[in-house]
Amino acid sequence: MSDLIQVCNLCKTYADFTLDDISFSVEPGMVVGLIGSNGAGKTTTLKLILGLINADKGSASVLGQPSDATTTGAFKEKVGVVFDSCSFPASMRVMDIGKLGAVAYGNWDKPYFSQLCESFGLALSKKVGELSRGMGMKLSLAFALAHHPQLLILDEATAGLDPLAREDVLEMLRDFMSDQTRGILMSSHITSDLDKIADQVICIDNGKIIFDVAQDQINDIAGIAHLRSLEVDDVVAWLKSTEGSSSVYMLKQGYETLALIPDRIAFAQKFPDVVVERATIESYMTLVLKGGNR
Amino acid sequence: MKTMIYSDYITIRSALIQSFIIAVALGCFLAIPLGSTAAVVAMVVVIIDMGATMNLCAYDDVNDWQRFRLTMPLSRRQVVVGRYMSVALIMVCVAVLAVLIGLVLQLLLGNVLAIGDFTSLSLSTIVLELVIAAILATCITLIDTGITLPLMVRFGMTKATRFIMPVMAVVLLFALQALGSIGLDSGSLESMVVSFLGVNSLAEIGLDALMGCALVCALVCVVLYVISSSISIRLYQTKQF
């Protein structure tokens, strides 16, 4: 089966920012997380994928169709999108939004939308303007899911949700992914959500892809070593000599130095006295972005 | 396009009801001092039509609604054509409602309360007068919308407000110059129609002829509105969100 999203060498230049040569894909059955600091280029990438802005160079396709400003909108029938805030006008009621979905999408599932609203505690008669930020995000998610899309594109979709609601949403996304023809591309600052759900993690910084690795590689194989000053040189030497470890990321923190270890099992065998813990996406990203490459 | 029209309808519904109530209340209040229900009809049309267009475009900018709307199965062309259709539908509905309000008001003031200014005309004359007033007022809002919508579509409501007044001033200036150059007196709408028809006063021509003029005027405005929509489509295709 072909990729759900194919991004090839995308470039976009603004006066003070350049998105440079971004390439990746989202395969069916995959949840791809897009991470990075504020202004790194995540939302610009998503906008390019959705055809909301035009690329200076490169191309993006969604469900096999090119996505740019001239797109006819046909592929959007199979795509659900959630931005970082509830975008519906304040004057609309929840039930109006359900009706709008029914008009807009051929595959709209009215009972499912009502069921989602009920499970989220969204009263159908409430106006969008009366909803809290979290409830607004839930409404956006219900709208994105109720036409059974093949692809979800989520831009900070879990922002503003309390931990319990976030867990519910993640559960919903796991259910969504039970069909292996589907996929999700989600950008998030809440990397713990991606730890739980992502298959692939792409980090963008200053408009460039810094890493694009499988989540297993981060959570199951990589580690963070807590080094004392005396151990640093030995570890750096070992990391450099180890195949595939041309980059050594270290960050001094208080009395210890943290080091990103690509293979923590091998590291533990070599340095049994050094504390090495499982890496999370957040610690991995922090070390790659802030830890000097020695 | 159906999506866009429905989306505009549910966005503007409550604002439309509010501005309708305000316009009707204001119309009822001003009918006696103005001495004419036709003027009330024109006022109701202009207030609601222009308010509705402004409201719709203002909602586009809030919470990035127009950006999100483009993630639904809609092309940019459908968004613009849908918006023009929504506004046109509102104009037609408001014109019909305004005539009905004018008629009810006329019957109330003339037949029930028997106020002098409102008792002299026959029902058929009144209806024709009200329809002409509604058509001409709709023509004014069509021209206004035809000028302002491309700007709002391209720049968004907030930015467009900087350009709307200067553009309107320039268009008005050129229009008056053009009318003057073909020998039409553009001092007032009445004098313009009088000089266009080559008569001494509007009283010389019948209401039927005036109705004909109003329909020709409406046709010209619809053509301008369609031209405006094609300009907006081109502008919206290049818009970056």
Side-chain angles (χ1 to χ4, degrees):
Chain A
M1 194 179 283
S2 58
D3 292 336
L4 300 175
I5 296 177
Q6 182 73 252
V7 175
C8 295
N9 311 111
L10 273 184
C11 296
K12 178 77 182 173
T13 302
Y14 293 105
D16 54 350
F17 173 75
T18 300
L19 193 74
D20 189 17
D21 202 23
I22 302 289
S23 299
F24 64 88
S25 61
V26 177
E27 294 165 23
M30 282 188 76
V31 178
V32 176
L34 211 51
I35 58 171
S37 49
N38 290 326
K42 304 186 296 291
T43 300
T44 305
T45 305
L46 295 183
K47 282 181 182 176
L48 285 163
I49 290 169
L50 288 165
L52 296 171
I53 51 176
N54 282 332
D56 297 334
K57 271 198 285 183
S59 63
S61 66
V62 179
L63 303 175
Q65 294 177 42
S67 58
D68 55 33
T70 59
T71 187
T72 56
F75 73 82
K76 299 177 193 170
E77 274 277 353
K78 296 178 183 169
V79 179
V81 179
V82 179
F83 288 134
D84 55 356
S85 61
C86 178
S87 301
F88 298 105
S91 58
M92 285 186 186
R93 291 171 301 178
V94 173
M95 69 170 85
D96 294 331
I97 289 162
K99 287 177 191 165
L100 175 63
V103 175
Y105 296 96
N107 201 25
W108 185 259
D109 188 339
K110 194 180 165 191
Y112 185 46
F113 178 75
S114 302
Q115 184 195 322
L116 287 169
C117 287
E118 197 181 323
S119 68
F120 284 144
L122 286 161
L124 292 174
S125 58
K126 270 216 165 183
K127 283 190 172 178
V128 171
E130 296 165 359
L131 300 175
S132 66
R133 180 178 158 78
M135 294 303 266
M137 293 308 293
K138 287 177 182 177
L139 175 61
S140 303
L141 274 164
F143 188 80
L145 288 167
H147 61 284
H148 303 292
Q150 195 179 349
L151 172 69
L152 277 178
I153 296 179
L154 313 174
D155 186 8
E156 303 290 349
T158 52
L161 297 180
D162 62 69
L164 291 176
R166 276 205 342 256
E167 201 50 57
D168 290 345
V169 168
L170 292 179
E171 196 51 49
M172 211 162 276
L173 296 181
R174 282 188 204 102
D175 285 348
F176 173 81
M177 288 307 296
S178 60
D179 180 341
Q180 286 296 297
T181 62
R182 293 171 170 174
I184 300 175
L185 173 63
M186 62 186 292
S187 85
S188 182
H189 281 118
I190 308 170
T191 52
S192 58
D193 289 346
L194 296 176
D195 280 319
K196 292 173 189 166
I197 196 169
D199 299 302
Q200 188 80 13
V201 180
I202 299 167
C203 177
I204 298 181
D205 191 48
N206 208 15
K208 291 189 172 82
I209 290 185
I210 304 300
F211 61 80
D212 180 355
V213 294
Q215 192 254 12
D216 296 351
Q217 185 72 35
I218 297 173
N219 287 143
D220 297 345
I221 300 172
I224 305 294
H226 296 254
L227 308 174
R228 288 168 294 188
S229 307
L230 289 171
E231 296 161 340
V232 171
D233 288 342
D234 289 345
V235 170
V236 170
W238 181 80
L239 284 171
K240 283 189 172 173
S241 68
T242 309
E243 197 180 347
S245 297
S246 55
S247 303
V248 178
Y249 298 100
M250 290 195 165
L251 187 63
K252 191 151 175 55
Q253 210 169 63
Y255 294 109
E256 63 178 5
T257 300
L258 302 179
L260 179 62
I261 309 297
D263 183 344
R264 70 171 188 276
I265 309 293
F267 180 84
Q269 285 167 354
K270 177 70 181 172
F271 300 96
D273 296 333
V274 176
V275 176
V276 58
E277 62 182 5
R278 183 186 284 261
T280 60
I281 293 173
E282 184 173 340
S283 59
Y284 192 97
M285 180 181 79
T286 304
L287 268 159
V288 171
L289 294 184
K290 291 175 78 179
N293 186 0
R294 294 177 61 154
Chain B
M1 194 158 67
K2 200 172 141 195
T3 304
M4 185 63 194
I5 294 171
Y6 186 72
S7 146
D8 279 352
Y9 162 68
I10 55 177
T11 302
I12 197 76
R13 187 180 44 203
S14 59
L16 263 182
I17 293 168
Q18 282 169 15
S19 56
F20 184 74
I21 293 167
I22 293 168
V24 170
L26 198 64
C28 293
F29 181 71
L30 292 176
I32 296 172
L34 287 171
S36 160
T37 46
V40 171
V41 167
M43 196 178 69
V44 168
V45 167
V46 171
I47 288 176
I48 301 179
D49 286 355
M50 288 188 180
T53 310
M54 298 283 227
N55 243 302
L56 278 174
C57 293
Y59 272 118
D60 280 353
D61 284 356
V62 179
N63 294 333
D64 283 327
W65 167 231
Q66 61 175 332
R67 189 180 71 170
F68 180 77
R69 195 173 50 207
L70 273 176
T71 70
M72 289 198 270
L74 281 168
S75 67
R76 293 188 180 212
R77 184 190 167 84
Q78 285 171 325
V79 168
V80 175
V81 175
R83 170 55 52 84
Y84 273 79
M85 291 290 284
S86 303
V87 173
L89 274 173
I90 290 170
M91 286 179 180
V92 171
C93 294
V94 169
V96 172
L97 272 173
V99 168
L100 290 175
I101 290 163
L103 200 57
V104 170
L105 206 57
Q106 179 75 35
L107 293 174
L108 186 74
L109 297 172
N111 295 14
V112 180
L113 300 175
I115 296 173
D117 287 341
F118 301 92
T119 53
S120 53
L121 299 169
S122 70
L123 188 65
S124 60
T125 308
I126 291 161
V127 171
L128 209 53
E129 246 188 39
L130 297 181
V131 171
I132 291 169
I135 291 174
L136 290 177
T138 305
C139 286
I140 292 170
T141 57
L142 266 174
I143 292 172
D144 174 77
T145 312
I147 294 169
T148 56
L149 260 184
L151 293 168
M152 291 200 252
V153 157
R154 179 64 184 88
F155 299 109
M157 180 72 180
T158 315
K159 226 177 181 178
T161 49
R162 298 175 206 164
F163 308 119
I164 286 172
M165 289 320 287
V167 168
M168 291 294 262
V170 169
V171 169
L172 191 67
L173 202 71
F174 274 101
L176 292 177
Q177 284 289 328
L179 289 171
S181 69
I182 57 169
L184 290 182
D185 178 359
S186 51
S188 68
L189 189 61
E190 186 178 339
S191 61
M192 197 163 60
V193 174
V194 164
S195 83
F196 179 70
L197 296 174
V199 292
N200 292 322
S201 74
L202 276 182
E204 271 184 37
I205 58 164
L207 272 179
D208 289 340
L210 204 58
M211 181 66 160
C213 286
L215 288 174
V216 169
C217 188
L219 192 68
V220 172
C221 291
V222 167
V223 170
L224 291 175
Y225 191 68
V226 172
I227 292 170
S228 163
S229 74
S230 62
I231 293 169
S232 291
I233 291 168
R234 284 171 185 272
L235 292 172
Y236 205 60
Q237 297 285 11
T238 59
K239 185 164 178 166
Q240 304 288 290
F241 294 90

